[in-house]
Amino acid sequence: MKPDLRFVTLILALLFSSSAVALQAQEAPKPTQVRQSKSTQNPEDRDRKIKSEPNDAYTRWINEEGSLITTPEERRAYEKLTTNEEREQLIGEIWRRRDPTPDTEENEYRDAFYERIAYANEHFTSGKLGWLTDRGRIYVKFGKPDEVESHPAGGQYERPANEGGGSTTTYPFEKWFYRYINGVGSGVEIEFVDATGSGEYRIARDFNEKNALAQVPGYASVDPMMDAAYLRPGDSPLGRIELLANLEKAPQVDSRFPGGSTPTPSLDDNPLNFDIRADFFRLADNRVITAFTVQTENKDLVFQDSGGLQIARLNIVGKIIGIADRPVGRFEDVVTTTAMKSELTEALDRRSAYAKVTVLRPGNYRVDVWVRDVASGASGLRRLGFQVPKYEDGKLATSSMILAAKLEKLEGALSTSQFVIGDTKVIPNLTGSYRRGEPVGVYLQLYNAGIDQTTLRPAVDVEYLLSKDGKELMKQPEDWRGVSETDSRLILSRLLDTKTLAPGDYEVSIRVHDRVSGQSLQQSAKFTLAP
């Protein structure tokens, strides 16, 4: 069986790129040293075993081969990350964004990239690896040129008209010609000159750099600016500066590809207001339940009569975007809100809510949500950036704290309908606005709480606190009697009575102290009580 040359080339490229620093270090000869025994050797001179930081591989990629293709926006996103999992996810997103066929396992862009690195290392190495040279960087970023004019020995050279004409003697040089480079232009000509004779060709800022007689007394070079009629647009000093600046940029990502950037949707002049929120609940290692809630005011919707029933219909479309603008999820639903004709006036004073649940890895995301009223055509777009938390084993943590418009314990079999979390129906109140007398629901999940091994009950102290204008009005403890389980997940669920409270702004907090581990935390949320 013949070996797969494409695979071998790719592996060689990976080995070359990952070993660049080590190979360069080996090329520099070291002075001969007299070896001493450990007993007589100065401790400061002994070799030390230094363990590399876990971030080194990711930092090396973004600063070395990854620097050839990453955009400034992608680098800024990388610099904001704090964990290796997030960095690994971003690097994967960078590759997927450039994949012309994202629905297949093979990434042709990535394969071609490392094949080019292998080619550059084989053909352009000169004191440093080929992909680090000027020719190597251009080759890796933009591929094989359409034409190459090579003068490996330099010597006598007849200059064309656009270079001023006449004869001169040159250093070794090459001219590369690309018919078109996306983001750079058409008819791109790049010149590389080996002025030192070392075999390393450097990109030329102007075409006089290859002139070996330019600095020799009595052999003044011809200044092509003397006859501007011969100049092509790209031959002017400003044209050369612009070309070199464009060549330094990362290759453009073609947004026509499915893996490209997400276009910004356009909206009409009939806006629809709504609120959106994301809540997080631990599921398993590196898996977090992410619940999106969309809430509209019924008074902003158009209800139509259908057999005596008043119905408002909404189209809801959501797109979840990961780092580097990579889509990672999508949802689309038709949602209806109904009311009897006799109840319509009262129904218009209420809100409607929609929920969508998905599972995500810890990291940074955004969700684009578009809502359209079918009857009126009114529509609205909201973009929400959010960070999915990472829940660590053994560390006291909580889910999102939810202020609920409805909090109800379900009996019997568990339901899979909207807003149901475990055995509790939780409908969030996104505005945090309640009428006096309406109960304020509070829901929170507690993870990795300590367990009293004698009673097998939670060994955590939990207090509910209600305050107004910084003054504490109420403090209620959580009663763990009847709770006998060793599950690492505890549910905190409570309805706060507002009948005796005056209208105004309030804050409800949940304080937790684990008597086993000594860890403490607090979650808070604000709400407004109207008359």
Side-chain angles (χ1 to χ4, degrees):
M1 180 185 297
K2 291 185 178 180
D4 189 334
L5 295 180
R6 182 183 177 93
F7 177 77
V8 172
T9 303
L10 178 59
I11 294 301
L12 289 174
L14 289 169
L15 291 175
F16 273 121
S17 62
S18 62
S19 305
V21 177
L23 286 174
Q24 292 179 42
Q26 293 172 5
E27 290 172 356
K30 296 182 179 179
T32 304
Q33 296 180 350
V34 178
R35 192 171 186 86
Q36 296 177 328
S37 66
K38 291 184 178 180
S39 60
T40 60
Q41 191 177 8
N42 189 322
E44 294 296 325
D45 297 332
R46 293 180 185 174
D47 294 333
R48 293 178 173 85
K49 294 182 179 179
I50 302 176
K51 184 178 180 181
S52 60
E53 293 294 329
N55 297 349
D56 183 61
Y58 302 102
T59 303
R60 188 169 62 246
W61 187 90
I62 200 73
N63 290 328
E64 294 183 3
E65 66 260 40
S67 66
L68 300 181
I69 62 171
T70 50
T71 64
E73 293 79 9
E74 290 168 336
R75 290 191 64 86
R76 285 194 291 270
Y78 179 90
E79 290 168 358
K80 295 178 181 179
L81 304 182
T82 58
T83 68
N84 286 344
E85 291 81 1
E86 292 176 346
R87 297 183 183 99
E88 183 177 12
Q89 181 183 6
L90 172 57
I91 293 173
E93 297 292 350
I94 289 173
W95 286 125
R96 283 190 287 272
R97 189 183 182 199
R98 289 156 175 78
D99 186 0
T101 56
D103 295 332
T104 64
E105 292 186 5
E106 184 179 14
N107 188 323
E108 294 84 356
Y109 185 96
R110 181 181 57 202
D111 294 348
F113 176 84
Y114 282 110
E115 287 174 2
R116 291 174 187 174
I117 285 184
Y119 181 92
N121 288 340
E122 182 179 353
H123 292 84
F124 306 138
T125 295
S126 57
K128 57 183 176 181
L129 288 173
W131 73 275
L132 296 172
T133 65
D134 286 357
R135 286 186 300 173
R137 290 188 301 105
I138 296 298
Y139 186 91
V140 173
K141 290 170 68 172
F142 305 113
K144 182 181 178 180
D146 297 301
E147 297 178 17
V148 175
E149 178 185 335
S150 181
H151 300 263
Q156 193 70 18
Y157 176 66
E158 296 293 330
R159 287 183 290 206
N162 68 291
E163 294 184 14
S167 299
T168 188
T169 301
T170 68
Y171 300 115
F173 73 96
E174 286 185 357
K175 287 183 181 180
W176 289 14
F177 179 80
Y178 290 88
R179 293 187 180 90
Y180 176 75
I181 298 178
N182 188 20
V184 178
S186 301
V188 178
E189 186 177 274
I190 310 169
E191 198 166 80
F192 304 92
V193 179
D194 178 15
T196 62
S198 63
E200 181 178 345
Y201 289 70
R202 298 182 180 273
I203 196 166
R205 269 55 186 170
D206 63 68
F207 42 73
N208 260 329
E209 289 192 19
K210 63 179 175 292
N211 187 356
L213 303 180
Q215 304 301 323
V216 177
Y219 290 91
S221 61
V222 176
D223 185 356
M225 293 300 293
M226 295 295 291
D227 192 347
Y230 291 115
L231 288 175
R232 300 169 299 182
D235 291 331
S236 68
L238 290 179
R240 296 291 297 179
I241 292 173
E242 182 181 6
L243 171 63
L244 296 174
N246 289 333
L247 292 174
E248 286 299 316
K249 297 177 182 178
Q252 285 194 356
V253 179
D254 193 340
S255 60
R256 293 172 299 174
F257 289 154
S261 300
T262 304
T264 301
S266 59
L267 301 176
D268 55 28
D269 296 329
N270 189 11
L272 176 67
N273 293 320
F274 64 92
D275 297 298
I276 181 172
R277 171 187 171 101
D279 294 298
F280 313 104
F281 307 90
R282 189 184 71 174
L283 177 63
D285 292 341
N286 290 326
R287 293 290 188 276
V288 177
I289 295 175
T290 304
F292 300 106
T293 304
V294 176
Q295 182 177 279
T296 61
E297 298 285 343
N298 285 351
K299 64 183 179 180
D300 295 332
L301 308 181
V302 174
F303 286 78
Q304 293 181 321
D305 184 84
S306 177
L309 189 64
Q310 306 300 307
I311 301 177
R313 290 182 174 86
L314 295 175
N315 290 333
I316 299 179
V317 178
K319 194 172 186 180
I320 306 170
I321 312 296
I323 296 175
D325 271 349
R326 172 68 179 178
V328 297
R330 178 185 174 89
F331 53 89
E332 183 172 357
D333 285 298
V334 178
V335 181
T336 60
T337 296
T338 63
M340 298 299 296
K341 191 172 183 178
S342 59
E343 302 172 342
L344 184 57
T345 301
E346 183 182 351
L348 291 176
D349 200 32
R350 296 196 295 261
R351 308 180 187 96
S352 295
Y354 160 84
K356 186 65 179 181
V357 174
T358 187
V359 177
L360 296 174
R361 291 178 176 272
N364 296 302
Y365 301 86
R366 85 165 191 266
V367 60
D368 297 347
V369 177
W370 180 71
V371 178
R372 179 177 180 271
D373 187 319
V374 175
S376 67
S379 61
L381 173 70
R382 297 288 185 273
R383 284 185 167 175
L384 174 68
F386 60 94
Q387 183 177 29
V388 178
K390 181 178 178 61
Y391 293 106
E392 301 177 10
D393 290 338
K395 184 177 180 180
L396 189 67
T398 70
S399 67
S400 301
M401 179 175 172
I402 298 178
L403 290 183
K406 184 174 184 179
L407 194 61
E408 179 184 356
K409 190 81 168 180
L410 301 179
E411 301 295 338
L414 298 183
S415 172
T416 58
S417 60
Q418 288 191 68
F419 303 111
V420 175
I421 308 175
D423 61 351
T424 307
K425 187 168 187 176
V426 184
I427 301 181
N429 184 338
L430 272 61
T431 63
S433 177
Y434 297 84
R435 291 189 180 277
R436 184 181 182 185
E438 289 181 341
V440 176
V442 181
Y443 182 88
L444 187 73
Q445 291 187 2
L446 182 62
Y447 308 122
N448 301 320
I451 301 297
D452 188 318
Q453 297 303 313
T454 303
T455 63
L456 294 183
R457 292 175 183 165
V460 288
D461 297 322
V462 175
E463 290 181 325
Y464 297 85
L465 297 98
L466 183 65
S467 59
K468 185 177 187 298
D469 300 327
K471 182 179 179 181
E472 187 176 295
L473 303 178
M474 180 202 74
K475 181 188 294 185
Q476 295 180 359
E478 180 71 29
D479 187 356
W480 296 117
R481 287 178 297 179
V483 177
S484 179
E485 54 183 290
T486 58
D487 186 16
S488 60
R489 183 192 317 265
L490 296 172
I491 306 300
L492 303 177
S493 175
R494 180 164 295 202
L495 291 172
L496 303 179
D497 189 2
T498 65
K499 294 177 182 178
T500 60
L501 299 179
D505 296 328
Y506 293 84
E507 183 177 46
V508 58
S509 302
I510 298 180
R511 293 178 183 173
V512 180
H513 175 70
D514 190 320
R515 299 194 302 273
V516 175
S517 64
Q519 301 176 74
S520 298
L521 52 80
Q522 177 174 315
Q523 287 273 36
S524 301
K526 294 181 179 181
F527 67 92
T528 300
L529 204 60

